Amino acid sequence: QWKIMAKVSRIWETLDYITNEVRSLDMMLIDKHGHQIHAKVDKTLMNKFQHQIVENEIYSLDRFSLSKSKNKYNVTLGEYVINFNWHTSIKPLRIKDMNFPEHAFSFVNFDQIPTKIDNKHLIAR
């Protein structure tokens, strides 16, 4: 049983670029140590979760699954994605003094950019 406490750093809808239909609700979660993980709510569950989740809020999250990312481009360095399911519980925590970072960044020197051409991440390694 997985359980985490994290801040929703970013939230967006992922589109199918052929049909222009929404495929999922995606989030970048960040813990108080600055570790990030990608989280996904499939379109079949969006009605259940999309109104419960607000960017920049801190949540307790449990009863979800983890899987290896199958995306062509990953949004974090981690290879795993949190997948919401029907039993996932997400509860807002009314804590403002937890010192969660707002964002986490991975920078690369300009001279290293040519080595990133075939990188499957949207971020630098």
Side-chain angles (χ1 to χ4, degrees):
Q1 183 80 13
W2 302 97
K3 185 172 185 170
I4 65 168
M5 180 172 50
K7 180 178 187 177
V8 177
S9 177
R10 292 279 188 247
I11 190 166
W12 67 95
E13 290 180 346
T14 297
L15 299 177
D16 180 321
Y17 290 106
I18 296 171
T19 65
N20 213 31
E21 292 181 19
V22 175
R23 290 177 34 188
S24 60
L25 181 68
D26 291 64
M27 292 162 272
M28 177 78 67
L29 303 181
I30 188 167
D31 70 10
K32 64 182 177 179
H33 304 289
H35 302 121
Q36 297 180 99
I37 191 165
H38 184 187
K40 296 179 80 77
V41 178
D42 187 74
K43 69 179 178 181
T44 59
L45 297 172
M46 282 178 61
N47 285 338
K48 178 177 179 175
F49 291 106
Q50 69 185 2
H51 300 294
Q52 296 181 42
I53 305 166
V54 177
E55 197 169 274
N56 292 319
E57 293 294 325
I58 301 169
Y59 296 91
S60 171
L61 178 66
D62 66 356
R63 293 183 293 198
F64 55 87
S65 63
L66 281 176
S67 65
K68 285 203 171 197
S69 177
K70 296 176 185 151
N71 295 334
K72 184 174 181 180
Y73 295 102
N74 295 325
V75 296
T76 69
L77 289 175
E79 60 184 299
Y80 292 96
V81 175
I82 289 176
N83 298 294
F84 281 53
N85 59 59
W86 186 255
H87 301 290
T88 299
S89 171
I90 184 162
K91 296 177 185 165
L93 300 176
R94 305 290 180 223
I95 305 169
K96 296 296 180 191
D97 62 347
M98 288 295 295
N99 294 324
F100 275 75
E102 194 163 333
H103 306 287
F105 298 98
S106 296
F107 294 103
V108 64
N109 291 326
F110 282 111
D111 61 343
Q112 293 177 324
I113 290 174
T115 66
K116 305 297 180 187
I117 290 173
D118 293 326
N119 191 347
K120 69 176 189 165
H121 294 83
L122 295 174
I123 58 174
R125 279 190 169 192

